Amino acid sequence: MDTEAVIEAADVIDGRPPGPDRKEQIIRMVALFVMPFLMVTMMFATYMATMHSPHPRDMPVAVVGSGAAAQAIVDGLNAAPGGSTEATLVTSRNDAVDLLHDQEAAGALILPSEGGTSATILTASAAGASQGATVQQLLAPVAVANNWQATTEDVAPLPDGDRAGIAVLFAAMGMMLAGYVPLSIMVMGVPHLLRLRRFLPVLAGWSALTSSIIWLILGPVVGAVEGHYLTFLGVGMLATAAVGMAQLLLSKVVGPLAVLPGMLLWVVFGMPASNLALSVHNMPGFFQFLHGVLPLPAAGEALRSILYFDGNGLGTHLLVLAVWIVAALALCLLKERSATGNVIPGVPPIPDPDAKAPALAGGPPRSKRFRYVAAAGFPLAILVVVVGAMGFSMHKPQPHDIPVVVVAATPELAQQTADGLNTQLTGILDVTVAGSAEQATEQIKARDVVAAFVLPSAPDAPATLYSASAANPSQQSTIRAIFQPIAAAQELPLTLADVQPLSDTDTGGSNSMYVGMSWIMAGFLFLAVLRGGAPHVRRLPQFLPLLAGWAVGMSVWLWFLFDVLIGAISGNALELIGYGALTIFSVSLATGVLTRTVGLAGIIPMMVVLMMAGLPASGGGMSVYLVPEVFRPLQDVLPLPAAVDIARSLRYFDGVGVGQNLLVIAIWGAVGLALNLLIDKWLNRRSDVDEPGAGSAPEASVKLVPAEAH
């Protein structure tokens, strides 16, 4: 998220520096609302629309066999409702494996030999863990319908250091950030560097530096990648240059507003089209087209090709990046030759680069050296935070201390089983006992435990494993993967029961995460934009009414967007609007504490606390029992986990736990309000320094007055 670009766009929206003109002030105030509104809407409308109910579309699969029977299987797959599969008949296992390694097929079904009953499903988890799971869901029913015993084989497994397959995702995302975030700062602080003769060598050095840092984080530091430094350097330089050149072109055409099309292309459209988080074959056809033309998919697929598939298909992805570089460079040359006036439209030039000028929107004049440091340091900090935090938290899911209860015919047998499981799976499970299956399922719905293992009450009866996919699909699949081998080893039939399934409009369980993230982002962005876009709005009584209106209006809009327009959520309208408004309001107040005291540098720690630590602690995507244990205590104190749990509880669990989550959010808001009041008092005491003609030199004002006062 490029917050600095939003701030600068608001600051120079009409192409003139701040002034007393009434029309100008109106335009600037409108921009304060329009810019964050558009950014939040673009991001979460796209993510929620594409990912709330993903389903396969023309998923390419191979069928290994021959004869009429094999062709009938292919025809049946191709005739599946909704066009979920696109099956091809091949004659040998080697042919199928080659298709998987070339990523021309997502999976394969090897039919039993004549007279046999054993089929094999081939997958390639290195091409996407979620894609492999989808392939099994598509091909396993074929085996069941024909009374075949199906086994699964992964012909391209992920390495142990990257079990979730996220290294290429966060590497490519880091390259996108490295390409477009610096431009939003350069247009304000160092616009003289945006002439091509200066920009090209800067971009080359920056691309090499950031690509090296991305490899350093994901490789030696996090351990998700072994070796391949030159791979990251080469792909990273191409990807960063492609985005950097294209963002420069956008900046030369539309000025600071380039943040909007840039964000749309590189992040908002790039993520669902990337094939890195979810299979692109689960996305609408528009995003399948974008997969072949956008830089984020090209960068991620190029890394994946080299890391896991011996470079198969690499040339196509590198060609995409090269086309972006050449086309953007040519258009930038034409623009520069035909342009008159400012380097960047709407940005006043700095006649003397050595003169003092604002490094960040709304900030005090700074030296050229300081502006250079800000232009590099701000995006570099964002890059390290995003790639480092996400890579560390998600690269190697490891179950730990998953709370489970055991139910048996007698308390003694239940306790004996619980003790055995705790001994056998030390550190993985935290097993206790419950008095009955009904009591255990209530604990699951209250989310006090993840699952209940109910032993059979009769010799020939099966055991039952209760869990709730609505609580988190990843923890449900993990707990099933743990207990199924345990039951099989004891020759104990096992029934799987979902006590609270996900809805048809939330098949991936991500809706609650996007609802909570949209509230947090809306609150975070507004105060960040206010800091740079309206420096004259300096006191709490001035911006509190604006903040209240923003919180209510944005909460209503997000509910309308998610429920009425997209249809991803339903019901609980008043609760969602009210709780969303409180969250946005509280997060904005908390953000204001840092942006008003340390300036836009406060955005980085707020991003760490609100998003980078909050996301893995929320259980919105990956279960909190699968990420490093350091995030578990944060689940009870950060606003994003509270917001995600509110949305989830309202939809699936009758509001259980909402009160505690509201308390967390209210405390953030109350502390933020109290600290903002103290900041107001501080500013009032320094008002003499802040007022023009107070007898203090400008330099003293910069040193003594908090950033808000500038």
Side-chain angles (χ1 to χ4, degrees), residues 174-193:
M175 294 165 188
M176 299 302 102
L177 293 173
Y180 92 98
V181 173
L183 268 296
S184 63
I185 303 175
M186 295 175 74
V187 298
M188 171 61 71
V190 288
H192 59 282
L193 292 181

Side-chain angles (χ1 to χ4, degrees), residues 648-661:
R648 176 185 287 141
S649 182
L650 288 176
R651 177 63 183 86
Y652 293 114
F653 298 103
D654 299 322
V656 173
V658 165
Q660 180 179 349
N661 292 314

Side-chain angles (χ1 to χ4, degrees), residues 249-462:
L249 175 63
L250 292 174
S251 299
K252 288 180 177 292
V253 173
V254 298
L257 291 177
V259 62
L260 292 177
M263 175 184 170
L264 190 68
L265 288 172
W266 321 135
V267 179
V268 174
F269 283 172
M271 183 60 74
S274 69
N275 196 39
L276 302 176
L278 289 178
S279 171
V280 72
H281 299 292
N282 283 345
M283 297 292 108
F286 173 63
F287 291 95
Q288 296 185 30
F289 163 74
L290 292 181
H291 177 259
V293 299
L294 289 182
L296 177 56
E301 294 286 21
L303 290 172
R304 174 183 278 164
S305 174
I306 299 174
L307 292 178
Y308 306 131
F309 295 103
D310 299 323
N312 293 345
L314 174 64
T316 301
H317 308 307
L318 296 184
L319 180 61
V320 170
L321 298 175
V323 168
W324 276 94
I325 294 173
V326 173
L329 177 59
L331 292 174
C332 281
L333 282 169
L334 291 175
K335 180 65 177 173
E336 284 195 3
R337 290 181 178 180
S338 62
T340 57
N342 298 345
V343 176
I344 303 298
V347 177
I350 302 176
D352 181 6
D354 293 322
K356 290 194 173 184
L360 302 173
R366 298 293 191 182
S367 66
K368 182 174 70 172
R369 177 178 295 179
F370 186 97
R371 286 181 279 125
Y372 282 165
V373 172
F378 193 88
L380 199 60
I382 292 177
L383 170 67
V384 171
V385 165
V386 172
V387 177
M390 294 296 96
F392 166 71
S393 63
M394 298 184 181
H395 78 285
K396 192 175 182 179
Q398 183 69 42
H400 57 86
D401 301 319
I402 303 177
V404 177
V405 294
V406 172
V407 178
T410 65
E412 293 77 16
L413 179 58
Q415 189 61 57
Q416 180 182 357
T417 304
D419 292 341
L421 290 171
N422 281 326
T423 300
Q424 183 181 357
L425 299 171
T426 301
I428 297 176
L429 298 182
D430 180 10
V431 187
T432 55
V433 301
S436 65
E438 292 75 15
Q439 179 185 357
T441 55
E442 287 301 315
Q443 289 181 273
I444 294 173
K445 291 180 180 180
R447 280 152 309 147
D448 295 328
V449 300
V450 168
F453 184 51
V454 181
L455 295 171
S457 55
D460 296 328

